[in-house]
Amino acid sequence: ILQELNLPPDVLEDALTQVHRKQALAQQARQRKRLAGIVGAVLVVAIAIPTVLFWQNRQDLGRVSVQQDRITLTQDTQALKSIDRQGNPDVYYRVTLKDVPIGKKLALSCDWADPSDQVVKQNRFETQPVTTAVWTTHCRYRMGSATPTGTWTVKMFLDGRPLDNATFEVK
């Protein structure tokens, strides 16, 4: 090859060194591309998995709805439409939820609004891990003798999404 190219024989070592260098650089370029592909795939998976889990969780929580609700006093299970504020009763908003995702904790809150529609109490809590698709929970508000009379409203929210509300009279 050296004779065909009309090159002196002493450049053979330099030529071989250049050929080996080009081969090594080509090998490094292939390795870099392969590594970049692997890193890219890992990043896509690392982003995709939490995104899919987040949206699945949102869909699971989006299916939760109210099966039954009622206003009661402390241990009463009988639904009330009016409450006497004398005696400072604890008023409970008892809600039975359906299509609850089993194994998850629910972030619930309740807003208690007086007759002028002012929120006077907020309950915020997280449930224990849910064990059944139908789940009963409650919010509580203690009435006092200075509690305004009239029509009250209590609203329940799941992760900020309104689930249900109930009205009752305070006398």
Side-chain angles (χ1 to χ4, degrees), residues 86-102:
Q86 300 306 317
N88 303 328
D90 283 338
V91 179
Y92 288 82
Y93 181 45
R94 299 182 192 277
V95 179
T96 303
L97 304 173
K98 65 181 179 177
D99 300 324
V100 181
I102 296 174

Side-chain angles (χ1 to χ4, degrees), residues 123-138:
N123 306 114
R124 297 196 184 290
F125 59 99
E126 185 176 79
T127 67
Q128 295 296 320
V130 173
T131 56
T132 61
V134 176
W135 190 256
T136 301
T137 188
H138 67 270

Side-chain angles (χ1 to χ4, degrees), residues 39-129:
V39 168
V42 167
L43 284 174
V44 166
V45 169
I47 292 170
I49 288 174
T51 302
V52 167
L53 292 175
F54 171 79
W55 285 111
Q56 183 172 353
N57 185 51
R58 297 300 292 172
Q59 285 181 330
D60 289 348
L61 294 179
R63 285 191 287 273
V64 175
S65 61
V66 174
Q67 181 174 317
Q68 178 184 14
D69 71 339
R70 63 191 182 283
I71 301 291
T72 70
L73 295 179
T74 307
Q75 295 300 326
D76 296 345
T77 56
Q78 179 182 2
L80 302 173
K81 290 292 181 191
S82 66
I83 295 169
D84 185 359
R85 66 184 177 169
Q86 300 306 317
N88 303 328
D90 283 338
V91 179
Y92 288 82
Y93 181 45
R94 299 182 192 277
V95 179
T96 303
L97 304 173
K98 65 181 179 177
D99 300 324
V100 181
I102 296 174
K104 298 192 182 204
K105 295 180 179 182
L106 303 178
L108 296 171
S109 62
C110 289
D111 289 350
W112 297 82
D114 67 12
S116 66
D117 209 28
Q118 293 295 315
V119 175
V120 296
K121 169 82 173 169
Q122 290 184 318
N123 306 114
R124 297 196 184 290
F125 59 99
E126 185 176 79
T127 67
Q128 295 296 320

